[in-house]
Amino acid sequence: MGLAVNHNKSVVLPLLVSFSFGGSEHAIYPTAIISGNEVILVDACYPNQLELLIDAAGRAGVALSELSKVVITHHDYDHMGSLAALKRNYPQVAVVTSAAEANYVSGKQRSLRLQQAESIFSSIPDTDKPQALAFQQMLESIESVDVDVAVADGDCVDALGDVVTVETPGHMPGHISLYVKSCKTLIAGDALVVEGGQLAIANPQYTLSMEQAKESLRRLLQLDVDTVVCYHGGVFRGDWRSSVAGLVD
């Protein structure tokens, strides 16, 4: 792995995954956590992006062959799209989700995002329906993966007890974030995004309960945080409290 690890403090490494889609450039930030002897990945990219993920991890000095766990913050296609491929390549990896997300990730229940897309289909203009159908078909094609560990609020993901689960429903009912105590870092998933250098709530169109999302942010304000890592937008450092407080007023 090539990293000097302090066994009393976790190392948080946002992984920049860049790609082109629809004629424009995009980026997401899955995150690696080095905690003691464990390597933990948070979220697993869009479908067909395993090689991009491997490359991004390599640039950060992380070998995915050393992964012990992968935490899926929620079952959206851009967070679990390459999970099945990851698990095939590295079968030793334990898949971790919230209890509320486990049945969706494992395919025992139909995707909430798919149900949302189906529920609004009749209200979409006819000119947009082919694209909407293609989106539904893409959601239906996401491979499910068995969940090995289901966590609840306050549960530790790592053996050292440094990486703590924080339930942050709103974007989806079972959404979780992670708080890394030793370095005061919040890995927000889609509870927050960085837009224009500021924190924001993830796209309201894809947030299933805005009131729950705001209540989750109020709970996050109780944490002692120096750094926020957002899946969309990357790293935020600075006066995060003022930024988040302005979102929930």
Side-chain angles (χ1 to χ4, degrees):
M1 186 165 56
L3 291 171
V5 177
N6 179 344
H7 288 272
N8 296 315
K9 185 175 182 179
S10 299
V11 177
V12 177
L13 298 168
L15 307 178
L16 171 59
V17 176
S18 302
F19 58 98
S20 299
F21 180 76
S24 58
E25 296 300 313
H26 299 267
I28 52 176
Y29 294 82
T31 302
I33 305 169
I34 315 302
S35 177
N37 294 322
E38 288 191 271
V39 182
I40 300 166
L41 177 69
V42 186
D43 288 325
C45 297
Y46 287 81
N48 304 311
Q49 289 190 339
L50 179 59
E51 290 304 318
L52 293 179
L53 179 58
I54 292 170
D55 290 345
R59 291 194 301 273
V62 176
L64 293 191
S65 59
E66 298 181 14
L67 273 182
S68 53
K69 300 183 180 83
V70 55
V71 179
I72 300 299
T73 59
H74 62 295
H75 68 277
D76 258 333
Y77 63 100
D78 55 334
H79 292 254
M80 65 166 288
S82 290
L83 178 61
L86 180 76
K87 183 73 173 179
R88 280 193 292 272
N89 265 39
Y90 311 110
Q92 83 281 358
V93 175
V95 177
V96 181
T97 73
S98 69
E101 284 288 302
N103 282 341
Y104 299 108
V105 173
S106 65
K108 295 175 182 176
Q109 289 181 260
R110 294 179 73 246
S111 161
L112 292 175
R113 192 64 68 210
L114 177 58
Q115 293 181 51
Q116 180 192 30
E118 291 173 339
S119 71
I120 64 173
F121 184 76
S122 62
S123 64
I124 293 173
D126 288 345
T127 53
D128 294 337
K129 284 186 175 177
Q131 183 178 356
L133 278 174
F135 181 63
Q136 290 182 33
Q137 290 165 358
M138 183 275 294
L139 292 175
E140 290 174 333
S141 73
I142 301 300
E143 292 183 78
S144 58
V145 179
D146 289 341
V147 172
D148 300 296
V149 181
V151 291
D153 193 61
D155 286 350
C156 292
V157 172
D158 64 326
L160 295 180
D162 191 35
V163 184
V164 181
T165 302
V166 184
E167 291 180 352
T168 46
H171 187 75
M172 278 191 172
H175 189 286
I176 57 173
S177 304
L178 295 178
Y179 178 58
V180 186
K181 295 184 288 185
S182 64
C183 54
K184 298 182 182 180
T185 296
L186 173 67
I187 302 171
D190 277 359
L192 288 162
V193 298
V194 179
E195 293 179 347
Q198 297 298 317
L199 292 171
I201 295 176
N203 191 335
Q205 179 183 353
Y206 295 107
T207 297
L208 297 186
S209 171
M210 186 58 70
E211 187 48 50
Q212 274 195 327
K214 290 182 178 181
E215 183 57 35
S216 291
L217 295 186
R218 295 184 187 102
R219 292 188 62 234
L220 289 177
L221 286 172
Q222 300 172 24
L223 299 174
D224 184 8
V225 171
D226 287 340
T227 304
V228 182
V229 181
C230 299
Y231 195 70
H232 300 282
V235 177
F236 179 90
R237 296 184 181 91
D239 188 1
W240 88 287
R241 289 183 180 282
S242 294
S243 187
V244 170
L247 300 173
V248 299
D249 289 342

